[in-house]
Amino acid sequence: MLMDLRETVRNSKPLKYSLITLISIPFALVGIGSYLGGGGYTDAAEVGGVPITSADLDRAYYQQRQRLAQMFGGNIPENFISESQIRSQALEQLVTSQVVRNVVEEEKFAVGDEQLSRNIRNNPQFQVDGQFDKETYELFLRSRSTSVPQFEQTMRQDTALAQFQAGIVNSSFSLPQETKRLDALSKQTRTVDYVRYSIAKAVDGIEVSDDDIKAYFDENAANYQFPQRAKLEYIELDKASIASGVDVSDEDARIFYEENKNRYVTPESRDASHILLTAEGADEIAEKTIELQSIKDRIAAGESFADLAAEFSDDPGSADSGGSLGQITPGAMVAEFEKAVYSLGAVDELSDIVETQFGVHLIKLDSITAAAGKDFEQVKNEIIATMQTQEADRQFFDLREQLSEAAFNNPDSLEVAAEITGINVQTSDWVDTDLTEDAVLANPGLLQAIFSDEVLNEGFNTELIEISDSHVVTARILEHEGPRPKTLEDVRETVAETIKRERAEEQLDELNQTGLDSLVAGGNVVEIAEQSDFADAFTEVELTRQSATLDTSLIRDIYALAKPVESEVRAAKAVLPDGDRVVYRLTSVAVPEGTSAEESASDSSKPVALANPQLGQVELSALIASLREQTDITIAEQN
C-alpha cells in the first residue's frame, strides 16, 4: 500500500505541489528555527512586552547564588535558602530592573558618546597604573564573550538607569519640622514584658516511638526521594591549569624585566635649581653666556644662588622659589639639561654654562635620591607568574571560543571538542543536586543544565557553564536515573526530628495563645512562664528600634502597636525565625528629652528644605513598586 502511495505521488505533479505547499505553511507561520536546534531557550517572563529569556534568568540566578556564597565565605549554609528561592529572587530582580528600564526608555534618558567614553576610561577595571589600558579593556570583554558594541550599549543603558535613579534620590528633601519629628520617632523607646517559649526545649521533651515514625513515613513516603542523578562526561577549561603548564625561561623573564623595569625599579632622581637667561641667535647666546658666567663667579664668591636666581632668572616658574625645579627624573628635561644635572657629583655643586633651546642655564644640584627597587632575582618568580598569567589569558580565551563552537557544532559528542582543544574528556561518578563537595560538578548552573530537556532527553552537550570568569565546563550525560524512593532506614532520624518539631510547634502555639489570652485579661508574664517547663519570663525590657534583644521583625511589630492606655492592653504574639514563640505586652512608650514629637510638630520656625538622600531611597522604592503595579508582567508557569 505504501509503495502504491509513493508511486501515485511521484507520477502526479498537482499532488506533489499540493503536498509541498501544505508542508511549507508551518515554516511560513513559525519559522524554520522552530524545527532546528530542538528546545532552545524560552521566555521566563515578559515585562511590558519585553521578554526575559531563560538564558537571562540562568545568568542572574548564577550571579545571585555567587553573591550569597561570597557572603558566607564561599558556601551557602545548608537549609539557609532553597535553590528555587534563589531563582525566584533573581527573577524578581530581573523583572524590577526591566520595569525601570522600560520607563527610562520611554522618558528618553540618553547617554552621549563623550560621557560613555569618560565612564569607560574612568573605570578602574580598565586601568593600569591609574591610566586607561585598551588591552585590559579588550581582555575584559573577551573574558565575558561580548563585543565592544554590545558592552557599550549595556553601559549606555546602565548609565541612563543610574541617571534616572539619581534624579529621584538626589532631589528629595525634608523640612526641619519633619526632620525633628522623624528624629523623635527614631529615638523613641518602648518597654515590654514578654514570655519566650523555646522550641529546642520543647523538642527535647518529646518522645517518638518506632510506630509513630513508621506511620508518619508511610503517610508521607512520596516526600522522601533521592533526587534524579546522572553520570557525566565533561571537558573542563581552567585558566589556572593552563598557567601552571606555561613554560617561561629565565631569559624571557629577564627580557620582560628590562622592558618593564619601571615597574620594579625607581630610577635615581635629583633635585636641582637653575638660573635661566633666555637668548636667541649666536651673538645673544654669547652675550648671555658672559653675563651668566659673571653670576656664577658671584656665587662662587659667596653670594646666595637663590637670591641671584630671584633677581636675574628669566624662568617665571622657578625664579620666585630661588630657581628650584624640584625633583628631576630621567626623561623629564631636555637632553642637554638632564645630562648636566646628572653629571654633577655633589650637592651644591654648580654646572658649567649649559645651552638649550630656551637659552643658557646655570644649574645647582640640591639633593640626590638614590635608585630604589628590586633587582631581577628578587622579582624573577613574580615576573614568571605574570608572564604565565598573560599567556594563560590568551590561551584561555582562544580555547574557550574553540570549545564553545565545537561543543555546539557537534552536540552529540565531546570527542571533536577534545580533539580540537587538546583537552581530555573526563568522566564522573553519579552527580545529583545533593552533591556539595565538588566545585565543578556541584555547580548549580551545571546541574540545572544537565537536567534540562535538551541535555537529558535529546542527548546534547550543555552550553559552556561558567564556574568562574576563568573556569568553564561543558558536559553531556552518559547514564541517567530518575528520582528513587528512600527507605525508612534512609530517613528514620529525619522523620523522627520532623515529628518532634511538628508536635513541639503545636504545643507552643497552644501555650502562646493561652499566654496572650492571659495577658489581655491582665495576667502577669512571670506567672504565665511558670506554667511551662520551656518558657522564660522577661519584664520591663526597654527596646530601641536597633535593639538586638529580639528579632528585627518582632521589634518592628512592637513599634507598630498603639501607645498603651489604661482602658486597653496592647498585647500580641509572634513566631520567631528559629521557631521560638513569644507573647508580649507593651507597657510604656518614651521619647528622650529635647526630641518630643509634639514639640516638633508645633515648631513654627521658617521652613528650610534640606536634601535627604535617605528619604530619596524610600521614594525610589515606592516609585518602583508603583511602576510594577502599572506594568503588564507575565511570569512563565514553570517559574
Side-chain angles (χ1 to χ4, degrees), residues 368-386:
I368 299 175
T369 302
K374 299 177 181 178
D375 61 28
F376 172 71
E377 290 300 327
Q378 288 177 296
V379 296
K380 183 176 75 172
N381 291 338
E382 177 186 337
I383 289 174
I384 289 174
T386 298

Side-chain angles (χ1 to χ4, degrees), residues 221-507:
N223 296 331
Y224 296 102
Q225 291 187 329
F226 291 106
Q228 64 176 325
R229 61 181 185 172
K231 288 185 177 180
L232 310 177
E233 63 176 10
Y234 62 98
I235 294 178
E236 181 183 359
L237 177 60
D238 182 9
K239 188 169 72 176
S241 299
I242 297 174
S244 64
V246 174
D247 183 30
V248 178
S249 67
D250 287 1
E251 182 181 353
D252 290 337
R254 186 174 289 279
I255 293 172
F256 183 94
Y257 176 81
E258 294 298 333
E259 291 177 347
N260 300 273
K261 204 166 187 176
N262 60 327
R263 294 190 188 182
Y264 310 104
V265 176
T266 302
E268 177 188 297
S269 63
R270 297 188 166 203
D271 281 34
S273 300
H274 80 142
I275 298 172
L276 167 67
L277 300 183
T278 56
E280 293 183 4
D283 292 342
E284 189 177 6
I285 288 173
E287 180 185 338
K288 294 292 185 179
T289 299
I290 294 171
E291 183 180 343
L292 191 54
Q293 182 61 51
S294 174
I295 294 172
K296 181 179 180 181
D297 293 340
R298 292 172 62 179
I299 295 170
E303 291 190 51
S304 166
F305 185 99
D307 291 345
L308 293 173
E311 181 179 353
F312 293 106
S313 181
D314 293 330
D315 179 6
S318 66
D320 291 341
S321 56
S324 175
L325 296 169
Q327 188 180 67
I328 296 172
T329 55
M333 310 297 284
V334 294
E336 302 91 340
F337 192 97
E338 181 180 306
K339 182 179 180 181
V341 170
Y342 277 87
S343 67
L344 296 173
V347 173
D348 292 333
E349 183 179 347
L350 298 178
S351 70
D352 293 331
I353 306 302
V354 179
E355 181 185 336
T356 72
Q357 67 199 68
F358 305 106
V360 290
H361 309 255
L362 177 64
I363 305 169
K364 179 172 75 75
L365 181 61
D366 295 327
S367 67
I368 299 175
T369 302
K374 299 177 181 178
D375 61 28
F376 172 71
E377 290 300 327
Q378 288 177 296
V379 296
K380 183 176 75 172
N381 291 338
E382 177 186 337
I383 289 174
I384 289 174
T386 298
M387 296 180 71
Q388 286 176 325
T389 299
Q390 290 178 347
E391 176 60 20
D393 282 339
R394 186 191 66 76
Q395 291 188 28
F396 176 79
F397 297 127
D398 289 345
L399 288 171
R400 175 180 174 139
E401 186 173 348
Q402 293 172 14
L403 179 59
S404 178
E405 290 182 0
F408 178 81
N409 293 333
N410 304 274
D412 54 357
S413 171
L414 290 175
E415 294 302 324
V416 175
E419 183 177 343
I420 290 174
T421 61
I423 306 173
N424 292 331
V425 177
Q426 303 180 61
T427 57
S428 75
D429 199 351
W430 289 109
V431 171
D432 61 36
T433 52
D434 287 341
L435 186 67
T436 58
E437 66 274 9
D438 191 308
V440 176
L441 299 178
N443 179 271
L446 176 63
L447 292 173
Q448 184 179 2
I450 64 174
F451 293 121
S452 68
D453 179 72
E454 191 175 55
V455 177
L456 180 60
N457 298 324
E458 301 294 336
F460 291 167
N461 303 326
T462 68
E463 61 180 2
L464 282 195
I465 306 299
E466 282 195 359
I467 308 303
S468 70
D469 288 345
S470 58
H471 191 177
V472 296
V473 63
T474 179
R476 63 190 315 274
I477 292 177
L478 294 176
E479 294 182 52
H480 173 258
E481 286 186 357
R484 295 162 294 129
K486 293 181 178 180
T487 67
L488 177 57
E489 293 310 310
D490 290 328
V491 295
R492 179 178 294 277
E493 291 185 7
T494 302
V495 171
E497 289 302 315
T498 300
I499 296 172
K500 289 181 180 181
R501 180 85 181 193
E502 289 181 357
R503 291 180 181 177
E505 288 176 344
E506 290 175 3
Q507 288 184 27

Side-chain angles (χ1 to χ4, degrees), residues 211-224 488 495:
D211 289 341
D212 291 335
I213 294 173
K214 185 176 185 309
Y216 188 95
F217 177 78
D218 290 343
E219 186 177 347
N220 298 278
N223 296 331
Y224 296 102
L488 177 57
V495 171

Side-chain angles (χ1 to χ4, degrees), residues 126-260:
F126 311 140
Q127 293 180 348
V128 175
D129 297 330
Q131 297 295 320
F132 175 76
D133 183 75
K134 184 178 179 182
E135 185 177 344
T136 301
Y137 176 54
E138 293 174 347
L139 195 63
F140 174 88
L141 298 186
R142 289 202 304 273
S143 71
R144 282 155 179 76
S145 300
T146 187
S147 66
V148 171
Q150 288 173 330
F151 177 74
E152 291 183 352
Q153 178 60 25
T154 300
M155 280 280 291
R156 288 184 195 274
Q157 293 173 346
D158 290 345
T159 305
L161 193 64
Q163 287 178 341
F164 170 77
Q165 294 171 334
I168 296 168
V169 173
N170 296 335
S171 63
S172 294
F173 64 89
S174 56
L175 299 176
Q177 300 97 311
E178 295 173 327
T179 302
K180 290 179 181 178
R181 184 170 179 80
L182 287 172
D183 181 57
L185 291 173
S186 68
K187 293 179 179 178
Q188 183 188 94
T189 62
R190 295 197 163 206
T191 303
V192 295
D193 295 339
Y194 67 93
V195 178
R196 182 166 183 158
Y197 298 96
S198 169
I199 188 71
K201 291 180 180 178
V203 167
D204 287 343
I206 294 175
E207 297 292 333
V208 179
S209 68
D210 288 343
D211 289 341
D212 291 335
I213 294 173
K214 185 176 185 309
Y216 188 95
F217 177 78
D218 290 343
E219 186 177 347
N220 298 278
N223 296 331
Y224 296 102
Q225 291 187 329
F226 291 106
Q228 64 176 325
R229 61 181 185 172
K231 288 185 177 180
L232 310 177
E233 63 176 10
Y234 62 98
I235 294 178
E236 181 183 359
L237 177 60
D238 182 9
K239 188 169 72 176
S241 299
I242 297 174
S244 64
V246 174
D247 183 30
V248 178
S249 67
D250 287 1
E251 182 181 353
D252 290 337
R254 186 174 289 279
I255 293 172
F256 183 94
Y257 176 81
E258 294 298 333
E259 291 177 347
N260 300 273

